[in-house]
Amino acid sequence: MYHIPENIVIAVDGPSSSGKSTFAKAIASELGITYIDSGAMYRAVTLFCLRNGLIIDGIIDIPSLIHRLNQIKIEFRFNDTLNRLETYLNGENVEDEIRNVAVSKFVSPVSKVEPVREKMVDLQRSMAKDRSVVMDGRDIGTVVFPEADIKLFLIANEEVRARRRYDELRQKGINISFQDVLNNISDRDYQDSNRSISPLAQAKDAIALDNSNMGVDGQMEWFRKLLDSKYGKKQKNESQD
Ligand code: CDP
């Protein structure tokens, strides 16, 4: 439908629960390209830490984590039934477990560890080799793919973001208060934005979209206009392949 480049890379960054994954999934399905959730990788490392006693009294044992990094194998495998990539940690499907409250609590400090980031960024880049991707995260447009074809930066007010995450967790049957969700979101945003390595930041050439009052349909309408202005639509008499 559009003259999009081969092996296009679309970066979607933004704070917690700003709707990145919903938007990125919709973009992936519109363009028939692969959606990659970079946050899932940091979550999987955090789950490894929790399971292996690398977080003691709320403190991460950074030297041990670095020492054991080579024991952490993260992959994405396609689930045909659910039509999505799912996260595997050392061969085990952890797609659901990485979204739990304990992981959310420690993922930001784990993500600050430089060798962890180096390993994840390598993996993210390797996943975009020879294929078109839309990847969401915090540093995709700034660090992972500074040459990305399209960079989006999603924002929404904090209450709206907390409400979205709260509804999502409650729907999954997770019993958590709205205040706890709000605290986790604002704490992670603070840590993610203020770390020295690859902080959450809008790339200079990223387009910001405030979706506080926008649903997925509205966002996709906005995105199609962006695609149109960038890549134009095929003429009617061109083949439809
Ligand atoms: O879904 P949500 O926006 O709440 O978070 P996520 O995308 O699953 O990311 C979880 C955490 O991983 C973030 O709070 C960051 O600390 C970290 N992260 C990161 O440092 N860099 C990325 N590219 C993606 C996530």
Side-chain angles (χ1 to χ4, degrees):
M1 194 177 177
Y2 303 98
H3 292 288
I4 63 165
E6 222 176 284
N7 295 341
I8 190 172
V9 173
I10 302 176
V12 184
D13 288 304
S16 177
S17 309
S18 52
K20 299 181 297 292
S21 68
T22 309
F23 194 19
K25 280 177 200 160
I27 291 173
S29 110
E30 170 94 4
L31 299 180
I33 66 176
T34 304
Y35 162 63
I36 299 168
D37 175 356
S38 73
M41 301 178 188
Y42 295 97
R43 286 176 176 273
V45 175
T46 308
L47 182 62
F48 179 90
C49 293
L50 286 164
R51 283 180 173 181
N52 289 279
L54 301 179
I55 300 177
I56 303 153
D57 293 335
I59 310 283
I60 299 158
D61 178 353
I62 294 176
S64 301
L65 167 56
I66 294 172
H67 183 69
R68 296 187 65 176
L69 257 186
N70 61 0
Q71 296 170 16
I72 303 178
K73 186 168 182 237
I74 295 166
E75 306 158 87
F76 289 91
R77 295 187 200 162
F78 198 75
N79 179 324
D80 291 319
T81 317
L82 297 173
N83 193 32
R84 63 175 191 188
L85 283 178
E86 294 187 327
T87 318
Y88 281 71
L89 170 63
N90 293 336
E92 177 192 345
N93 185 335
V94 292
E95 184 59 31
D96 290 331
E97 204 173 343
I98 56 170
R99 318 277 163 197
N100 74 25
V101 175
V103 170
S104 297
K105 187 165 172 205
F106 292 108
V107 64
S108 286
V110 167
S111 305
K112 284 183 200 165
V113 179
E114 195 162 3
V116 169
R117 296 207 74 80
E118 282 166 7
K119 182 170 166 140
M120 297 307 111
V121 170
D122 281 352
L123 181 57
Q124 288 149 18
R125 289 187 181 142
S126 74
M127 288 189 74
K129 252 195 195 141
D130 308 322
R131 70 169 107 164
S132 291
V133 298
V134 47
M135 191 177 292
D136 71 350
R138 304 295 187 284
D139 58 343
I140 309 304
T142 50
V143 173
V144 184
F145 298 116
E147 308 297 332
D149 301 275
I150 299 178
K151 297 181 186 179
L152 307 176
F153 194 80
L154 290 194
I155 44 178
N157 84 46
E158 199 176 61
E159 289 279 320
V160 168
R161 292 189 282 117
R163 174 63 54 189
R164 285 178 187 155
R165 183 52 53 94
Y166 175 74
D167 290 345
E168 195 180 300
L169 292 169
R170 297 296 284 214
Q171 251 177 23
K172 284 186 189 164
I174 296 170
N175 191 14
I176 187 168
S177 72
F178 177 75
Q179 194 56 47
D180 283 348
V181 173
L182 185 63
N183 292 346
N184 177 256
I185 283 180
S186 77
D187 176 53
R188 279 199 288 133
D189 286 350
Y190 180 81
Q191 295 198 52
D192 294 346
S193 309
N194 290 287
R195 67 186 175 215
S196 53
I197 320 154
S198 310
L200 163 67
Q202 182 176 343
K204 283 198 182 73
D205 50 350
I207 308 164
L209 176 67
D210 185 333
N211 65 14
S212 302
N213 299 306
M214 243 181 179
V216 185
D217 291 349
Q219 291 187 110
M220 285 312 291
E221 209 174 293
W222 176 90
F223 182 70
R224 283 186 203 107
K225 282 189 192 137
L226 175 72
L227 279 183
D228 244 354
S229 69
K230 238 178 126 55
Y231 303 117
K233 272 188 178 161
K234 275 191 175 178
Q235 299 301 308
K236 281 212 171 74
N237 58 359
E238 280 189 64
S239 70
Q240 294 299 303
D241 56 8

